[in-house]
Amino acid sequence: MPLLEVKGLEKSFGGLKAITDLSFSVPEGQIFSIIGPNGAGKTTLFNLLTNIYKPTKGSIFFNKKDITKLPPFKIAALGISRTFQNLQVFMNMNVVENVMVGCHLRSKSGLFASAFRLPSVIAEEKRVRDMALEALEFCGLKDYSSQPASALPYGILKKLEIARALASKPRLLLMDEPAAGLNDTETMELCRLIEAIRDSGITVLLVEHNMGLVMEISQTVLVLNYGRLLAKGSPRDIQKNPEVIAAYLGEG
Amino acid sequence: MKRLLGFYIFSFITLVLPILFPDNYYVTVVGLTVLINISLAVSLNLLMGYAGQISLGHAAFFGLGAYSSAIFTIKYGFNPWTAIFFGLLIVFLLSYILSRPILKLKGHYLAMATLGLGIIVHIFFVQADEITGGPDGISGLPTLSIFGFPIDTDLKWYFIFAIFMLITVLLSLNIADSRAGRALSAVHGSEIAAQMMGIDTAKVKSHIFVFSALIACIAGSLFAHQQNFVSPESFSFFFSIELVTMVVLGGLGSTFGAVVGAFILSILPELLIVFEDFEVLIFGAILMTIMIFLPDGLFVAIKNKIAFLAFKRSQKEVANATS
Ligand SMILES: Nc1ncnc2c1ncn2[C@@H]1O[C@H](COP(=O)(O)OP(=O)(O)O)[C@@H](O)[C@H]1O
Ligand SMILES: [Mg+2]
């Protein structure tokens, strides 16, 4: 049974069709990669899956539940989290606070309880901080925990987004070009990190241009071209597919 | 203990001042203005500094609290505490109903909408003279008593305002260090990322809007009883702008920043009186200079500087220890 199922998805921006009649399903436990040239509609697809954009047509099922019309925060509550191609780190907070926001769904103090700092809040604060530190440690960021986010280099911020997403204990993690802008060492580390995430039981939907990385760690690769599904299969099949080579792989 | 050290020191100074100088004009007269302005600036900072949602209409809720106390006690003969409760009820309903549609707006549009709210409420104070007494306002509020103990001198009012202000500051500090506060900062930092972390951003913004309005409302009721008089002037658009200036001057997003901003903006006009006609000019020049050279605000800039120096010193110690 697939964890995520997309049926007949379509998105137009005015006259431009960014996604056309897209259907696919993602089995649980995989690293499932989506590749395609710039402008193919990969980020748009992520924005549709999280309902940051409303689909023009089609439906999305997560864990058999129709999530097409749910607001993003409810989709997150069902167990989908993501990182962003253009960083969306909370620059007004330090590292551990960023990740503590990721624990929002795993804690519950409201404004009133927080304002009066009821005993339950004090206990929860400690618990949330520990959960955040655990996520930071998993991503190798523990030493940065008290640094302000605004003072950190790009590579660290990209990892911070991953730690923040993991802190919500998602079942499905969407990663939009996590290797972009990273050097070779950082990319290697990222590779191991993504595998560790998958091994911890989280299904990973990965958008990435680094073909070495994609082919090494994915179980399934889906190729998008002008918003349409061009091919889908194992990394080996995709690398041999003549249409894919002509449209995408061949050029690089 | 360490978390609230600054708060304890601040409370101590605030409460000791009137004991040391009970007859000083700056403590018991200007001091009252300072205290009420701090409460208002701190409450506005919850919305503006924490959640990043500007409001140019905060004075409206301050005014509604004040007018509710005046109208319900004088015109309808209610007990002052019942009147305060009615004020809270009105402001709660109004702010709650308005919060969702208003806070859907962003940036300039949000500024315009809150500005409009402030202006409409002010026009109501001026025009609805049957209820509000029109431009002349209403005078002669009954004395407020706490457990049968009448608050009838400036010195007593100082303590009431001070305690209210300190509670506001404490609540604000608590919120900053909590799940709710982080949710607000997340909305400020990136609304999309906040939603992806499961935060119902519309709800969070609405709650803090109501919370901040309720604090302003209580401040208004206390102010009306202390002044013994309400008139539309005190709750105009200009006062809303002044509150925004206080928050920005001290440092957006910092509770003590709002405290410092409110303190300076309330004290400065008093000090500048010696310049007579040039008072407003110099006032403006000081504000401009601070904002140009310290865009993060006065308090936040100084705090960061100290943190930076401490960081450098600890680095030096590490270097010394390892060499
Ligand atoms: N908010 C938007 N408004 C208009 N057009 C958009 C918007 N978002 C994406 N597009 C367009 O949709 C197409 C796909 O973009 P995108 O999903 O960002 O591609 P990718 O991530 O694969 O590089 C592009 O032509 C882009 O210009
Ligand atoms: Mg993209």
Side-chain angles (χ1 to χ4, degrees):
Chain A
M1 191 203 78
L3 182 63
L4 181 75
E5 200 166 8
V6 172
K7 286 183 186 162
L9 200 61
E10 222 156 289
K11 178 66 184 175
S12 324
F13 294 109
L16 177 95
K17 272 201 169 178
I19 295 286
T20 308
D21 192 25
L22 183 65
S23 301
F24 65 93
S25 54
V26 179
E28 183 147 24
Q30 287 202 345
I31 296 174
F32 187 110
S33 292
I34 296 167
I35 62 172
N38 277 324
K42 305 179 297 290
T43 298
T44 302
L45 173 62
F46 273 15
N47 285 333
L48 291 170
L49 293 177
T50 49
N51 207 359
I52 288 175
Y53 295 162
K54 315 258 167 290
T56 314
K57 251 196 229 164
S59 44
I60 302 158
F61 294 84
F62 178 67
N63 202 19
K64 286 196 279 193
K65 192 175 156 67
D66 187 349
I67 60 165
T68 319
K69 295 209 164 66
L70 291 184
F73 77 92
K74 286 196 178 155
I75 291 178
L78 289 175
I80 300 183
S81 197
R82 73 178 280 191
T83 67
F84 297 85
Q85 181 177 0
N86 56 335
L87 285 176
Q88 299 284 338
V89 172
F90 305 125
M91 290 298 181
N92 50 347
M93 293 183 221
N94 72 20
V95 167
V96 72
E97 286 163 352
N98 262 276
V99 182
M100 285 166 89
V101 174
C103 302
H104 189 85
L105 288 164
R106 298 162 70 198
S107 47
K108 54 180 197 299
S109 323
L111 181 61
F112 190 81
S114 297
F116 289 92
R117 211 167 178 83
L118 305 181
S120 62
V121 173
I122 299 171
E124 190 177 82
E125 273 299 284
K126 194 179 164 333
R127 202 167 53 80
V128 165
R129 186 170 291 270
D130 289 344
M131 294 193 287
L133 289 173
E134 192 186 320
L136 281 171
E137 178 142 44
F138 188 82
C139 298
L141 289 179
K142 206 164 182 185
D143 292 345
Y144 295 93
S145 59
S146 58
Q147 305 243 11
S150 54
L152 294 173
Y154 186 76
I156 303 291
L157 293 177
K158 293 217 91 164
K159 274 198 203 165
L160 176 56
E161 276 210 342
I162 299 173
R164 184 180 67 187
L166 289 177
S168 68
K169 288 262 182 240
R171 281 185 74 182
L172 176 66
L173 176 62
L174 317 183
M175 303 174 95
D176 198 349
E177 303 207 13
L182 299 190
N183 64 33
D184 288 351
T185 329
E186 287 171 330
T187 306
M188 279 295 291
E189 284 172 18
L190 177 73
C191 213
R192 299 290 85 82
L193 180 59
I194 297 175
E195 284 180 326
I197 291 170
R198 190 256 332 263
D199 293 343
S200 77
I202 298 170
T203 308
V204 177
L205 200 56
L206 176 69
V207 163
E208 188 42 67
H209 278 300
N210 183 326
M211 280 313 123
L213 187 150
V214 167
M215 297 306 173
E216 185 184 333
I217 65 176
S218 314
Q219 281 70 59
T220 311
V221 178
L222 183 156
V223 188
L224 268 187
N225 198 23
Y226 295 109
R228 289 174 186 277
L229 189 152
L230 186 71
K232 191 183 123 178
S234 68
R236 193 191 296 227
D237 293 342
I238 293 297
Q239 275 166 312
K240 285 192 306 208
N241 184 315
E243 273 189 277
V244 176
I245 294 170
Y248 184 48
L249 292 179
E251 66 188 46
Chain B
M1 182 69 202
K2 180 157 167 278
R3 189 179 74 90
L4 292 176
L5 189 62
F7 175 74
Y8 294 134
I9 296 171
F10 177 58
S11 307
F12 181 76
I13 296 172
T14 309
L15 296 173
V16 160
L17 268 181
I19 298 172
L20 295 181
F21 310 103
D23 298 318
N24 188 306
Y25 169 77
Y26 284 100
V27 176
T28 47
V29 179
V30 182
L32 294 181
T33 312
V34 173
L35 292 172
I36 216 77
N37 285 348
I38 292 178
S39 313
L40 291 168
V42 168
S43 69
L44 179 60
N45 180 58
L46 292 173
L47 181 68
M48 242 181 86
Y50 288 5
Q53 311 296 310
I54 192 167
S55 170
L56 299 181
H58 203 53
F61 300 119
F62 181 48
L64 286 169
Y67 269 92
S68 299
S69 277
I71 293 168
F72 287 113
T73 55
I74 297 172
K75 304 236 156 174
Y76 300 105
F78 282 103
N79 165 296
W81 291 103
T82 316
I84 291 176
F85 175 75
F86 286 156
L88 282 171
L89 202 63
I90 292 170
V91 166
F92 175 80
L93 291 174
L94 185 72
S95 61
Y96 187 72
I97 293 167
L98 290 177
S99 63
R100 292 233 175 194
I102 283 190
L103 290 163
K104 253 190 207 154
L105 305 172
K106 294 196 167 48
H108 298 96
Y109 299 100
L110 177 62
M112 293 303 293
T114 49
L115 178 66
L117 168 68
I119 291 176
I120 290 168
V121 170
H122 184 250
I123 290 176
F124 169 75
F125 294 154
V126 177
Q127 299 289 340
D129 33 13
E130 305 237 313
I131 316 173
T132 63
D136 296 338
I138 309 173
S139 56
L141 279 86
T143 307
L144 186 72
S145 299
I146 294 182
F147 303 121
F149 182 77
I151 313 300
D152 49 11
T153 67
D154 281 345
L155 195 60
K156 288 181 193 169
W157 272 114
Y158 181 99
F159 283 105
I160 298 299
F161 281 13
I163 289 166
F164 175 68
M165 179 278 284
L166 290 171
I167 293 174
T168 308
V169 168
L170 182 61
L171 296 182
S172 172
L173 290 171
N174 283 346
I175 290 173
D177 260 336
S178 73
R179 177 175 182 266
R182 282 188 300 272
L184 295 171
S185 302
V187 169
H188 193 174
S190 161
E191 206 162 330
I192 286 191
Q195 290 182 356
M196 262 346 281
M197 294 305 121
I199 296 168
D200 183 348
T201 55
K203 182 169 122 185
V204 161
K205 287 194 278 186
S206 154
H207 282 185
I208 203 66
F209 185 76
V210 173
F211 192 81
S212 125
L214 289 177
I215 293 175
C217 171
I218 300 177
S221 291
L222 294 177
F223 178 74
H225 278 287
Q226 183 266 329
Q227 295 278 308
N228 214 348
F229 166 71
V230 291
S231 79
E233 269 159 74
S234 324
F235 316 108
S236 67
F237 152 71
F238 293 104
F239 189 54
S240 290
I241 301 295
E242 216 176 312
L243 292 174
V244 171
T245 315
M246 290 172 190
V247 172
V248 175
L249 181 72
L252 213 53
S254 154
T255 302
F256 280 114
V259 170
V260 169
F263 179 78
I264 293 176
L265 236 63
S266 317
I267 282 280
L268 209 52
E270 292 288 334
L271 301 180
L272 293 177
I273 281 178
V274 292
F275 293 102
E276 294 180 1
D277 292 349
F278 296 105
E279 180 194 328
V280 179
L281 209 70
I282 296 175
F283 186 70
I286 293 176
L287 291 190
M288 265 171 57
T289 314
I290 294 179
M291 289 330 293
I292 289 170
F293 291 103
L294 303 170
D296 290 337
L298 202 58
F299 179 79
V300 173
I302 294 171
K303 195 176 88 175
N304 289 349
K305 183 79 193 169
I306 293 172
F308 179 72
L309 290 177
F311 177 70
K312 274 187 74 170
R313 198 156 135 201
S314 70
Q315 294 253 302
K316 224 184 244 163
E317 274 164 18
V318 170
N320 287 343
T322 49
S323 65

